Each structure stands twice: as C-alpha cells, then as structure tokens.
Amino acid sequence: MFKKIINWIRNLKFSKDKDGIKEINLENVQSMKFGDEFWADIKEYNGQEFPEGHRKRPFVFIELKGEKIYCLYASSKSGRYSIPITRGKYAHFVYYNKLYKIDVKCFMNRKKDSLSEKELTEIVRNGFTRLPLNKYLSEYKKYASVRVGDIVWYNNANYYLFAMDSVLATIYPIRNTFSEWFVPTSNKKYIAIFSPMQVKKEALTLIRPENPKLVQVIKDNKYKAKRMKKCNIIAKAYQH
C-alpha cells in the first residue's frame, strides 16, 4: 500500500495558479473517455459550499473542454433521475438530470470501473429531454439508439416509432391537436394513427423515449375505428 501511495505522488504533475501550487494528474484526465468514473474534491459548486467531510465526490466523465471536466454525478443513493450501476453485490446510482462542469484542478483520481455501453445508452436515452448530451458528447449517436415506442425525428418532423426491423421502421406522425381515435402522448401531443409511413431506420434520430405500450393502444384504436366504419356502412345500407 505504501509503495502505491509513493508511486501515485511521483506521477502527479504540478501547475501554478493564483492560489498556489495545485496537484493535477493531467495524463489521467486527458486519457479519460465517456463513462469513466473518477473522484473529485469539490469545495464549492455554483455558490454552494460543501463541508469538509463531503468534498470528495464520485462523477462519471463525459468530456474534457479546456480546463473544465463535463461530467455526471454519482451517488450511493437512488433518485428519480438516476440509473443503477451494479458491480457484484453492490450498486451505486448515476444521475442524468444535471450536467456538472468542474475545474480540472478538482480531479483526484480515476476509479477502477467504467460504465458499460448498455449503461451509457440508458443514460443518454433517459436523460435526453433533461440533459441533451448531443451538445457536449462527440460520440453521442453511438449511444442514442432508437427503439419501438420512441418519439423520433424524421424529415423535419416528430413521429412515433411503431415498429422496426433491421432495415425499415414504421412511424406515425405527431400532431398538436386532437382528432377522433388519435392517441395522446405524455407531453400532450397526439399520434395520428391513420397516416403510417415506412422509412429507413438509419434516417431516424432519437427525440425522447415515449411509452412503448402505446403500440397496443394504436392497434386497439385502429381496430375499433375499422369496426365503427363497417357498422356505419351497414347502417347506411339498411336505411336505403
């Protein structure tokens, strides 16, 4: 253990600023990639001061820009906007609702673990509406995969992704106003169920995850509308 501490100290690089000499392990910061976990010593952030025993905090690296580390906060406690990261018997939680921009001088050391591609995909997908990582993450598209039930962007408009295979996707347009049999989404928009399109899956861009259970609602509404139309035709026939 003592030798490890000595080697760690020897590997530190130093940088002078107005506050004096700061220990910065520049090589470790510059070699980090999206999903690497690290510790940082945060005395204050956006005017909020942290007491002595709460300054060492875990983060997940996004990108290094200038002298700022763009990152997400990790905690041992779960919350509404977090995903679990399980390692063996233990789990911690990464929050995707807030982007931190901390000074590189706050960096302490990297943790052994990095998030998996699956975990990173969940962070990007779940955090998109609250934290548009496409503005900061250069490899964003790698993790922003589309799934059935998503709201997607195609040809300058929003659509609901109804079904897809390895090449093609079936999408339905999103409307601002309600019409009979339209299916409401979580943000008070409506899926127009009578105007499906088939397009190449690769042409779609994730806007936000929506409820995949709406696929069945669309099917049910189309079936009911078809039966209603048939009943109306029969009724008119009897009238004549």
Side-chain angles (χ1 to χ4, degrees), residues 8 25 28 37-40 56 106-111:
W8 181 80
N25 194 331
N28 268 347
E37 297 188 88
F38 67 96
W39 292 99
K56 183 180 179 182
C106 297
F107 176 85
M108 295 177 65
N109 59 286
R110 292 173 64 173
K111 297 176 69 176

Side-chain angles (χ1 to χ4, degrees), residues 11 13 24-32 107 110:
N11 287 331
K13 297 183 182 291
I24 308 172
N25 194 331
L26 293 176
E27 289 181 359
N28 268 347
V29 176
Q30 292 169 348
S31 66
M32 283 197 296
F107 176 85
R110 292 173 64 173

Side-chain angles (χ1 to χ4, degrees), residues 39-62:
W39 292 99
D41 185 9
I42 310 293
K43 295 182 179 180
E44 68 89 24
Y45 188 83
N46 282 352
Q48 178 186 359
E49 293 189 5
F50 297 101
E52 185 69 36
H54 298 274
R55 291 178 180 176
K56 183 180 179 182
R57 293 173 173 266
F59 293 89
V60 173
F61 181 84
I62 295 178

Side-chain angles (χ1 to χ4, degrees), residues 160 162 172 183 191 193 213-223:
Y160 181 79
F162 178 81
Y172 285 85
V183 176
I191 303 170
I193 69 171
K213 292 181 179 180
L214 294 183
V215 168
Q216 188 59 49
V217 178
I218 291 172
K219 290 179 180 179
D220 292 343
N221 279 18
K222 291 186 76 170
Y223 176 74

